Each structure stands twice: as structure tokens, then as C-alpha cells.
Amino acid sequence: MPRPSASFVFKADNMLTFPVRPANGKKTGVTIGNFDGVHRGHQLLVHKTLEICAERGLDSVAVTFWPHPRALFSGRQMPPLADLQNRRKLLGGLGVSFLLELNFTREIAALTPDEFVRTYLLPLDMDSLVIGYDFCLGKGRSGDFAALAELGGKYGFSVTQVPPLMLGEAPISSTRLRRAIEQGELGLARDMLGHPYAFDGRVVHGQGRGTGLGFPTANLLPPEVLLPPDGVYATRLTHRGVRHAAVSNIGFSPTFGGTQRTIESFILEGDINLYGEVIELEFLERLRDERRFPGVQELTAQIARDVEQARNINLAAAGA
């Protein structure tokens, strides 16, 4: 049986890693899932877990996997909806006390539900397990609610299954959220997340073309997360806790014959030197496709229109 490859991360003023959960005599309430993006369906799971923990005097633990199991078995690139640091921040912000991150391997995937529970969950002193409506674990996805409830009777823990959280006629899910982002449907993504889709990145030197056009940009090193499709977006840029309205372009700068994908953001008010800084970029709304213009004059005129549109969207978002 494989040895656990995991770490506990405690949410405090900063993130502190522990090799084991501190021994405090408490049992735990556990929720388990990929939590890719930590959308509102995941938030519902966490809130139910915290509710049970409060009732029973339990420590709360979220168990997650990295990389995504689907990426391992599909053999293709599957950028996450949030990197590890942001997933930790999002789960900690919901009130989860401990996070158990499992390095997902074929060996873990081959475990039966009973083996997985004994290896990874029972050592948590688990009193309660909360799962989503479609969650399964173990070899062949055989660990559904009925199988886990049977194991709960065997090992002495309760199992609660949370129903789907609907948005329109379909449940909120990571697959649906991923599709919305891939298609540039940022309003739908925001409705599923409860906040705009966002990621962090470090500002690097660019080509300086924005400055030459009168719109100096912060050039973001593309992060290893899912990017919206190439195009122009109304965005918000947060630097050291301060938000700035912005307009951002993802793409290749075809007017200038660019060959590498870049993320460039123009702050609508003020001129801030962000080089070397890590910023958060929130996507409010897609404005248009990226396209090649006949010349610099036409491009500059379009950017001015983009700026005005992004300013109005940011004002509306600030007042919402």
C-alpha cells in the first residue's frame, strides 16, 4: 500500500505547513474533492462541513488532489482553474482549518475505496465525511455515496452528501466553469464562482509598444492556469491590496506581428511601476476579439474605445 504523500496547511495570518495535524484530542469533519477553482458548489460543500464541525466540536479538513486526476489519465495538458497557492487561499478564506493535499498518482487511483479510507481518511480521526452529489473515489470510481456510507458504518463515521447547486437548468461544476472561461463567458464564470475569475502573475518587461501608443501596459508572465481566449477584456488589477481599473489584452499583438502570447494590462487611472511585482488580475467582461489593424492610428483609436468601455464596466462593478 502506498505511503501517504501529503502535507497539512494551516490557515492563519500566513500559511504554515505542518507534517501532521497538531494533536488536540479533537476528531475531524472532512470534505474531499478536487476543488478546482473553488466555485460556489465547492463552497457549499465547505459550508456544510463547517456547519457539522461547529455542531459536533470537530476540526475541519479539506482533502484535495494535485494534479487533477483527469489530467493524469487523459495524458493531455489540463491547466487548473486556480494554482495551488490560490486554492489554499480560497479554501482558507472559507474557514477551513486544515488542508490535506495528496499527490495524485496511478498508485492512489488503484486503491479500493476501503484502502483509500484506511490510508488517508481514518488517520485524520474522521468523525464526519461530506461529499458532493457526483463524488466517487477509488478504483473504477466505485466509492460512491452508498459505498462510502457502508464504510462509515464499518469504521464509525457519518457520510453526508450535498445536493447539486443549480445555476439555471444545470448544476455548477468545474467542467461547466472551465467551458465558460474557455469560451470567454466571464459573466457566467463569475456567477459560478461568486466573484470574477482571477489569477496571480508577476509583471515582466515587455516590448514597450504600449508606452509608444500612449497606453503603457503591465506585462504579465502567463501563469500556468486556464486563460480566457485571446481578446480584450475589462479587468481589475490588484497590487498590494489596492485595486485599479484596467483593460487587458491576451494574445499575440497581430498588428505588430507578435509570435508569443502575452497578457498586457493598461491601468485606467495613474501610472504605476509594477515591474517585478506580483499582481492579481480579475476578468470582468470580454470586450472583443484580438485582431490585426491596418496601422498604428487605427489600433490607437480602438484602444481608446476599449479604455472607455472598460472604465464604464469597472464603475458598474464597483457600484454593484
Side-chain angles (χ1 to χ4, degrees), residues 173-238:
S173 69
S174 293
T175 299
R176 189 181 176 196
L177 174 59
R178 179 175 294 273
R179 187 182 308 118
I181 294 167
E182 289 174 337
Q183 295 175 353
E185 297 178 359
L186 280 309
L188 178 58
R190 181 182 60 245
D191 290 343
M192 285 191 274
L193 287 165
H195 54 80
Y197 183 60
F199 50 72
D200 293 347
R202 186 173 298 278
V203 178
V204 297
H205 282 307
Q207 299 295 321
R209 296 191 186 107
T211 300
L213 297 172
F215 300 98
T217 59
N219 297 273
L220 201 63
L221 188 67
E224 294 183 359
V225 297
L226 183 65
L227 298 180
D230 292 352
V232 180
Y233 296 86
T235 55
R236 275 193 307 228
L237 185 154
T238 301

Side-chain angles (χ1 to χ4, degrees), residues 95-149:
V96 173
S97 296
F98 297 96
L99 178 63
L100 174 60
E101 295 172 335
L102 297 176
N103 178 26
F104 192 79
T105 63
R106 293 185 182 275
E107 289 74 22
I108 284 183
L111 296 176
T112 67
D114 191 294
E115 289 171 333
F116 185 92
V117 166
R118 285 190 286 110
T119 303
Y120 294 108
L121 301 186
L122 294 186
L124 303 177
D125 297 323
M126 182 173 65
D127 173 86
S128 175
L129 176 63
V130 179
I131 61 173
Y133 71 98
D134 60 349
F135 179 78
C136 297
L137 63 78
K139 186 176 181 180
R141 292 180 54 83
S142 55
D144 58 9
F145 172 71
L148 291 171

Side-chain angles (χ1 to χ4, degrees), residues 45-173:
L45 273 179
V46 171
H47 291 323
K48 183 62 178 178
T49 304
L50 295 177
E51 177 185 311
I52 291 172
C53 287
E55 290 173 353
R56 302 183 187 179
L58 310 174
D59 276 338
S60 59
V61 180
V63 178
T64 70
F65 305 95
W66 193 272
H68 196 294
R70 199 173 300 163
L72 178 69
F73 288 110
S74 68
R76 62 182 178 86
Q77 289 284 349
M78 188 175 176
L81 299 173
D83 61 23
L84 276 174
Q85 183 175 353
N86 272 324
R87 187 172 69 176
R88 292 169 181 171
K89 181 173 68 174
L90 289 166
L91 288 168
L94 293 173
V96 173
S97 296
F98 297 96
L99 178 63
L100 174 60
E101 295 172 335
L102 297 176
N103 178 26
F104 192 79
T105 63
R106 293 185 182 275
E107 289 74 22
I108 284 183
L111 296 176
T112 67
D114 191 294
E115 289 171 333
F116 185 92
V117 166
R118 285 190 286 110
T119 303
Y120 294 108
L121 301 186
L122 294 186
L124 303 177
D125 297 323
M126 182 173 65
D127 173 86
S128 175
L129 176 63
V130 179
I131 61 173
Y133 71 98
D134 60 349
F135 179 78
C136 297
L137 63 78
K139 186 176 181 180
R141 292 180 54 83
S142 55
D144 58 9
F145 172 71
L148 291 171
E150 184 176 343
L151 289 173
K154 179 179 178 180
Y155 293 117
F157 60 86
S158 66
V159 182
T160 301
Q161 188 172 44
V162 175
L165 181 61
M166 305 297 290
L167 180 62
E169 298 182 357
I172 293 175
S173 69

Side-chain angles (χ1 to χ4, degrees), residues 5 38 41 45 67 113 121 192 202 237 239 263 289 293 301 318:
S5 173
V38 194
L45 273 179
L121 301 186
M192 285 191 274
R202 186 173 298 278
L237 185 154
H239 171 241
I263 304 172
D289 292 340
F293 289 86

